[in-house]
Amino acid sequence: MTAGFLSLRNVVKAYNGSRVVDDVSMDIGRSEFVTLLGGSGSGKTTTLMMIAGFTLPEAGSIYLDGQDITFLPPSQRNVGVVFQNYSLFPHMSVFENVAYPLRVRRMRSIEITERVRAALDLVQLTGYDERLPSQLSGGQQQRVAFARAVVFEPRLLLMDEPLGALDKKLRDHLQLEILRFQKKLKVAVVYVTHDQNEALTMSDRIAIVHRGRLEQVGTPRELYHRPKTRFVADFVGEASFVEGVVCEVNSSSATLQVAEGFIVTFLPSTSVTPGNVISLMVRPEVVRPANDLPNAENRVTGVVQDIVYTGEYTKYKLLLPGGQMLLMKQASNHGTIEFNVGDAVPIAWSVKDGRHV
Amino acid sequence: MAKTVTLERRRDLRWVLLLPITLFLAVFYAVPLLRMLELSLFDPDFTLKNYIAPLTSPVYARILWNTVWLGIVVTSGCLLLGYPVAFLLATSAARTRHFLMIAVVLPYFTSILVRSYAWLVILGRHGLVNEALSALKMTSQPLKIIYNTPGVVISMIHILLPVMIFALYSVMQGVDWRLGNISSSLGATRTHTFFRVYLPLSLPGIGAGCVLVFIFSVGFYVTPALVGGLQDTILPMLIATQINELLNWGLGSALAIILLVFTLVLFLALNRVFRLDQIWSVNHAAAAAATRSPPGGGLVFRMVGTAFSALLRGAEAIVLMIGSGASHFGRIVHIPRRTPRPHSLEGQSNTAFYVCNGLILFFLLAPIVLIVPVSFTSSLYLQFPPQGFSLRWYQELWDSPVWLNATYLSVRVALTTMTLAVVLGTLAGVAFSRTTFRGIGYVYAFILTPLIVPVIVIAVALYALFSQIGLIGTFWALVLGHLIGACPLVTVLVTAALRGFDLKLEQAALSLGASPLRAFLQITLPITAPAIVVAAFFAFMYSFDEVVIASFLGSINAETLPKKMWEGVRLEIKPHLAAISSLLVGFTALVLVFIELAQRRQRSVIHQEGGSV
């Protein structure tokens, strides 16, 4: 009946008639780290809340380890949750916060002490037992929240934008920490975020959520290199889109006429026939000055319209013949040629780097 | 198995929590009011004579006019004195504001009887003002400034001024005062900035404060009765006379109904002008539900609904404002300071402005402080300056079983009222903050109505009911009477606190395995406890100070402290009243300090919420 450790089957949630979560089905493995990635209002948090049991679906079922948990009260699910603002109990010490799920389960106090100590050791907060949450930094509070959510050995760990309130440096650090904890505990994680870098860094698989539906589910590499829809291509990483009319299609390659005398070669997907108007996705980092890619088939001259310098790289917005725009990203290596606004730059990209979406 | 759980979870039974408070108010508040309506209309057959007489006679017209006129004068006075103080509160630094707030809150929580008595002491024949004037040889004989209109006006302004200040402040604290800086940076003079920027922005507060003070002053009974003369008779006093002295139930009830309708109509009219329903939006959900007309409901219904919910929201806002003011509980009852204050306001310090404020705050505090030295006089009469020093009046209180019994009864009644109100109000608060159903807004509105119904109306209605069932003069009569007013106070404060509570904390507890009840008891309740303590304090003080219901429902055998004082002030003004007043002021101050300290501790715990975001 169920394929994964956690299975969502045609789950639907509607508020006032509009479907916030629309027929979502997915399977998650026993110690897999899966991220729900989407913009605000996409339905990713609602999905998470249904897995946690705080919201009930209108239709569909949720199975955990073979058990139907769709309508099970949250307190009986044995699922840990980490919230965005940590939601530590402000009137309890760090120790009491972490001990809470164990006390609820009526464990013996010796065992509670042992387990809490072990959990605090894991998140490197040994010795912080008696502090109140208000006496901790944001990062430390996050670690306590994590310890509290795993100390009772939940079957599944849910995290709702847990790093959203932290600054970038700390966020980058804690991403790796959380991964380390997760690998060590071998617990399945469903992680919600709107930050694509976070999703790419942490996940075994990512599910792109858009308007309550799953746009695409796949590994970070699949999503980045083989997006199925324009939305996914746009949402994960940066992309330019070149639109044109398909000219020839054969088994190994196809051509696209973008403008008069400007023809691009690409690897066709099944659904392309001559005469179709389609878009090709081109990632900015695959576009190079023509001299760097002597063997690339797609060659054209673009005029620099705009330059964004970010330190590690420089991004050029180029005007192509026919009026469309293309982004080119150049790492700030020693000796990289810099261009100026108005320069006509011969550029190139290889056939395999243009993807029909 | 899963399916049964579904049903259980989907059928939200928490509306049951509203039953106790609703049933109580239906039986002891709604039914008596209806009974009173019946009394006014049947004698024993249906008749309108009880309405025709007062509405046609010039004597009654005169009294009605007195009532309105007094309201207008008192309201204007409060606005004049309240505006600068509210402005100062809204624009000063947190520490100063804290200190100033105490100067407003202490008088507010001091018994109305004590404050009225203080004015008798100050304005009396041998009072402070007259002694000072004659010592300065400015008058040859004492001025008559008590038992007449000026006396009533002065003491009523003093008593209602805090309400005006809270109403003004509730709007002013939301104003972005930096707009004033922008105005001056654009070249406007200070006068110009005030009239074109500050005044228009605070206009809603002015409307709100005036409406509330006016409504309260036309229903006021204690102060005009104590400080006024015969020519100052207003409607509430007339009602009391009809019922208490002339035993004219029909007319008394009719007058009470007239006062009630008059108050409500007045509010509807004022709401049309000031749009109060748009100023206060404390409890959006409930208020919105209250204004939502049922299918088929016409425009009239909707208009009345809007005005009515505005009225209640106004009263609610005041309770919350005072609650947060009394305790600086912004975080708990969720009235956060929304805007930063202007940077350069200190730079523009205006001596006249500060002197004005100093005088107004002196006016607020002086009468209360003045009571203390008076209580240590050794003379038999109230005199200025107090003659000698002695503890004889305190000794007399201590030796008097009558006063001790009254105090004991008051404490018992107040503690019982407080306990019951906290239980009923907290249950209701849980329902209002955690569940919803068709018509929940109406239930909320109903529970809040005692906040604005003149207390004399409630007292008369209960008197009629309790005398029939032989409850007059009993402990429970007093408790039930006080519970009517205490319930909405607790409900408003606890509902707001629970609505402001971060539900994620409860969800966290659930996900960690706690049952809903356990999560509520171990997480929600401890964190909202400070608000419940404040609510309990409100309920206690309300009952402990309440005199109108206590004197209607009490008897020789059941005299509360306020009732005893009330009679003391009316019959013989001796210094032992000053002694008891001093004790009451001291008690109020102590409780406020205690709450303040308790909250300081709590704040350090709760601080996380604001600190991390």
Side-chain angles (χ1 to χ4, degrees):
Chain A
M1 183 170 195
T2 64
F5 177 64
L6 171 73
S7 291
L8 277 68
R9 286 284 164 269
N10 310 99
V11 173
V12 173
K13 179 71 194 179
Y15 289 114
N16 303 322
S18 74
R19 290 189 165 195
V20 185
V21 174
D22 192 359
D23 199 25
V24 164
S25 296
M26 68 183 295
D27 293 293
I28 289 161
R30 194 168 282 276
S31 54
E32 199 180 12
F33 194 118
V34 173
T35 297
L36 302 178
L37 175 64
S40 59
S42 60
K44 57 188 192 304
T45 296
T46 309
T47 306
L48 196 78
M49 291 297 117
M50 285 191 288
I51 303 174
F54 300 134
T55 309
L56 298 180
E58 254 81 55
S61 317
I62 302 170
Y63 299 91
L64 182 60
D65 208 1
Q67 181 197 2
D68 183 347
I69 61 162
T70 318
F71 298 113
L72 198 66
S75 54
Q76 293 169 31
R77 293 191 179 204
N78 219 11
V79 167
V81 185
V82 179
F83 294 93
Q84 176 169 11
N85 289 324
Y86 327 130
S87 296
L88 297 178
F89 306 133
H91 58 307
M92 295 183 185
S93 66
V94 167
F95 184 93
E96 280 308 317
N97 262 285
V98 180
Y100 190 81
L102 307 179
R103 294 209 191 284
V104 169
R105 287 170 174 74
R106 300 181 194 285
M107 277 186 188
R108 284 178 306 120
S109 82
I110 299 172
E111 194 179 352
I112 290 179
T113 312
E114 248 169 49
R115 290 242 217 159
V116 173
R117 289 275 145 75
L120 289 177
D121 287 347
L122 172 73
V123 298
Q124 295 165 338
L125 282 177
T126 316
Y128 282 78
D129 304 23
E130 295 314 315
R131 301 273 189 103
L132 286 173
S134 53
Q135 297 166 319
L136 301 179
S137 71
Q140 289 169 332
Q141 290 185 41
Q142 184 53 58
R143 287 157 190 263
V144 176
F146 187 88
R148 188 180 65 177
V150 298
V151 72
F152 59 103
E153 294 172 2
R155 301 188 282 182
L156 175 69
L157 185 58
L158 307 177
M159 305 180 90
D160 184 12
E161 308 226 9
L163 306 178
L166 302 174
D167 62 59
K168 189 175 177 329
K169 272 248 154 66
L170 193 53
R171 210 160 57 216
D172 292 347
H173 174 66
L174 280 172
Q175 283 171 8
L176 300 179
E177 291 275 275
I178 289 175
L179 269 185
R180 190 170 67 78
F181 303 152
Q182 188 254 343
K183 298 293 175 233
K184 197 163 175 180
L185 299 168
K186 295 189 175 58
V187 63
V189 171
V190 180
Y191 192 97
V192 159
T193 184
H194 64 270
D195 180 337
Q196 46 144 323
N197 286 327
E198 200 165 291
L200 292 171
T201 309
M202 303 180 76
S203 319
D204 294 325
R205 281 192 302 151
I206 300 172
I208 306 287
V209 191
H210 181 49
R211 294 189 184 160
R213 290 177 162 273
L214 298 187
E215 264 318 280
Q216 189 176 350
V217 183
T219 66
R221 280 179 176 74
E222 276 168 11
L223 291 179
Y224 191 80
H225 295 294
R226 295 195 294 282
K228 281 187 186 146
T229 65
R230 182 162 177 159
F231 177 81
V232 174
D234 215 13
F235 199 81
V236 180
E238 251 185 314
S240 340
F241 296 93
V242 179
E243 199 182 88
V245 183
V246 179
C247 308
E248 291 169 32
V249 182
N250 55 47
S251 59
S252 61
S253 73
T255 54
L256 184 76
Q257 176 160 26
V258 179
E260 193 64 41
F262 174 23
I263 292 179
V264 174
T265 311
F266 67 102
L267 299 176
S269 57
T270 47
S271 59
V272 182
T273 49
N276 284 2
V277 176
I278 63 159
S279 286
L280 284 189
M281 176 202 78
V282 184
R283 296 280 182 202
E285 66 273 13
V286 305
V287 180
R288 319 284 316 152
N291 295 341
D292 294 0
L293 292 175
N295 300 323
E297 296 82 346
N298 297 320
R299 314 186 80 85
V300 70
T301 298
V303 181
V304 179
Q305 302 290 301
D306 236 331
I307 302 171
V308 178
Y309 176 72
T310 65
E312 37 186 327
Y313 58 82
T314 310
K315 201 164 69 190
Y316 298 97
K317 192 174 176 187
L318 303 164
L319 179 67
L320 300 180
Q324 298 193 48
M325 293 289 176
L326 190 73
L327 294 173
M328 174 173 79
K329 207 155 139 182
Q330 286 220 87
S332 305
N333 294 331
H334 183 69
T336 310
I337 306 160
E338 301 273 342
F339 305 104
N340 296 312
V341 172
D343 288 357
V345 182
I347 52 165
W349 72 89
S350 69
V351 170
K352 64 179 194 330
D353 287 332
R355 244 197 108 70
H356 164 214
V357 290
Chain B
M1 175 222 163
K3 286 296 168 218
T4 53
V5 178
T6 323
L7 289 174
E8 203 175 274
R9 278 181 52 117
R10 288 229 166 118
R11 190 178 299 149
D12 190 347
L13 285 172
R14 280 174 291 193
W15 61 270
V16 171
L17 300 175
L18 289 173
L19 275 184
I21 197 168
T22 314
L23 282 179
F24 163 72
L25 286 175
V27 172
F28 290 102
Y29 167 67
V31 168
L33 285 180
L34 292 173
R35 275 280 298 143
M36 190 172 74
L37 183 65
E38 187 194 338
L39 275 177
S40 72
L41 287 172
F42 292 90
D43 184 26
D45 298 318
F46 180 78
T47 168
L48 284 175
K49 69 173 165 103
N50 290 321
Y51 290 91
I52 292 166
L55 292 176
T56 51
S57 131
V59 179
Y60 291 115
R62 171 91 207 139
I63 288 174
L64 204 62
W65 173 243
N66 269 349
T67 313
V68 174
W69 177 243
L70 185 66
I72 293 172
V73 174
V74 168
T75 307
S76 321
C78 282
L79 178 60
L80 218 60
L81 299 183
Y83 196 90
V85 178
F87 190 86
L88 183 65
L89 274 172
T91 54
S92 52
R95 187 181 279 271
T96 324
R97 192 171 66 244
H98 202 90
F99 180 74
L100 293 174
M101 205 50 130
I102 292 171
V104 184
V105 166
L106 181 63
Y108 178 81
F109 276 113
T110 303
S111 158
I112 290 172
L113 278 170
V114 170
R115 287 188 278 168
S116 306
Y117 172 71
W119 284 104
L120 286 176
V121 173
I122 293 169
L123 302 175
R125 203 176 158 78
H126 296 286
L128 179 64
V129 173
N130 271 321
E131 292 298 323
L133 288 176
S134 78
L136 293 170
K137 305 256 184 292
M138 288 172 72
T139 50
S140 53
Q141 56 180 27
L143 281 179
K144 178 136 175 63
I145 38 179
I146 202 70
Y147 303 123
N148 60 10
T149 315
V152 176
V153 169
I154 292 174
S155 37
M156 276 182 66
I157 288 178
H158 179 248
I159 285 163
L160 290 172
L161 187 53
V163 173
M164 175 66 88
I165 293 174
F166 290 130
L168 287 168
Y169 175 66
S170 78
V171 169
M172 284 185 185
Q173 61 140 15
V175 169
D176 187 350
W177 298 106
R178 286 173 303 184
L179 293 174
N181 292 352
I182 293 169
S183 165
S184 20
S185 79
L186 296 172
T189 63
R190 257 197 282 167
T191 322
H192 201 89
T193 300
F194 178 79
F195 282 104
R196 298 299 294 275
V197 180
Y198 290 155
L199 195 63
L201 285 172
S202 55
L203 212 52
I206 295 176
C210 287
V211 171
L212 277 164
V213 168
F214 190 82
I215 295 282
F216 286 149
S217 65
V218 297
F220 224 100
Y221 171 59
V222 175
T223 307
L226 286 182
V227 184
L230 210 55
Q231 75 283 6
D232 299 307
T233 301
I234 60 171
L235 199 45
M237 293 158 72
L238 187 64
I239 297 170
T241 315
Q242 292 298 331
I243 303 278
N244 276 346
E245 288 163 29
L246 307 175
L247 299 176
N248 196 341
W249 281 99
L251 186 58
S253 301
L255 289 170
I257 297 283
I258 290 173
L259 177 62
L260 184 59
V261 171
F262 177 68
T263 308
L264 293 179
V265 168
L266 204 70
F267 194 91
L268 297 192
L270 290 170
N271 182 51
R272 295 298 295 167
V273 180
F274 291 111
R275 303 302 310 166
L276 296 189
D277 51 317
Q278 288 166 11
I279 301 168
W280 290 307
S281 48
V282 184
N283 269 306
H284 318 274
T291 57
R292 207 175 294 139
S293 64
L299 179 68
V300 176
F301 190 93
R302 209 159 50 239
M303 268 170 54
V304 173
T306 315
F308 190 58
S309 79
L311 174 71
L312 294 167
R313 259 185 278 171
E316 181 191 38
I318 291 298
V319 172
L320 289 177
M321 185 46 62
I322 298 165
S324 74
S327 50
H328 275 259
F329 235 177
R331 200 180 299 281
I332 304 294
V333 289
H334 271 260
I335 306 179
R337 186 182 171 76
R338 275 166 283 176
T339 54
R341 68 203 194 91
H343 292 294
S344 63
L345 217 81
E346 306 96 321
Q348 313 180 343
S349 77
N350 180 334
T351 319
F353 175 66
Y354 287 113
V355 170
C356 260
N357 268 306
L359 289 175
I360 297 165
L361 290 172
F362 178 78
F363 168 74
L364 263 176
L365 278 175
I368 294 164
V369 176
L370 199 83
I371 285 291
V372 181
V374 173
S375 69
F376 291 110
T377 184
S378 57
S379 143
L380 259 177
Y381 306 100
L382 280 175
Q383 259 184 330
F384 267 96
Q387 301 290 307
F389 175 89
S390 91
L391 291 172
R392 63 179 286 192
W393 299 110
Y394 288 92
Q395 184 67 44
E396 193 163 295
L397 285 180
W398 185 247
D399 292 338
S400 149
V402 182
W403 282 100
L404 286 183
N405 281 338
T407 311
Y408 179 58
L409 178 66
S410 272
V411 170
R412 267 170 59 219
V413 168
L415 283 178
T416 314
T417 304
M418 176 185 92
T419 311
L420 290 174
V422 165
V423 171
L424 294 181
T426 305
L427 290 180
V430 173
F432 286 130
S433 59
R434 293 285 185 275
T435 188
T436 187
F437 55 83
R438 271 182 82 85
I440 193 171
Y442 293 103
V443 180
Y444 189 70
F446 171 63
I447 293 173
L448 257 61
T449 50
L451 289 178
I452 41 144
V453 171
V455 67
I456 185 99
V457 176
I458 298 178
V460 168
L462 278 179
Y463 187 43
L465 177 78
F466 284 0
S467 50
Q468 274 187 335
I469 55 178
L471 218 56
I472 295 292
T474 64
F475 170 78
W476 285 105
L478 297 172
V479 169
L480 292 172
H482 286 172
L483 202 49
I484 293 168
C487 276
L489 293 172
V490 176
T491 306
V492 165
L493 288 166
V494 174
T495 304
L498 286 174
R499 284 209 178 124
F501 177 78
D502 180 10
L503 267 182
K504 286 257 166 66
L505 288 175
E506 235 174 61
Q507 293 187 337
L510 293 178
S511 77
L512 296 171
S515 67
L517 182 66
R518 183 174 187 143
F520 183 78
L521 292 178
Q522 291 189 334
I523 307 298
T524 314
L525 212 53
I527 294 173
T528 43
I532 297 174
V533 170
V534 170
F537 169 68
F538 266 71
F540 182 90
M541 288 312 273
Y542 169 76
S543 167
F544 196 66
D545 283 348
E546 206 291 323
V547 66
V548 181
I549 290 175
S551 52
F552 270 83
L553 304 186
S555 71
I556 298 289
N557 300 321
E559 279 190 311
T560 63
L561 194 56
K563 178 168 188 272
K564 191 88 187 83
M565 285 178 71
W566 163 257
E567 275 152 16
V569 178
R570 295 190 106 184
L571 300 177
E572 29 145 26
I573 303 188
K574 285 207 298 185
H576 65 265
L577 287 173
I580 192 108
S581 297
S582 306
L583 290 174
L584 285 179
V585 172
F587 171 70
T588 311
L590 263 180
V591 175
L592 284 174
V593 167
F594 169 77
I595 289 190
E596 176 68 29
L597 289 180
Q599 276 159 14
R600 235 173 236 182
R601 214 181 52 114
Q602 181 74 19
R603 247 197 313 273
S604 65
V605 173
I606 302 294
H607 204 246
Q608 174 211 11
E609 190 192 344
S612 64
V613 178

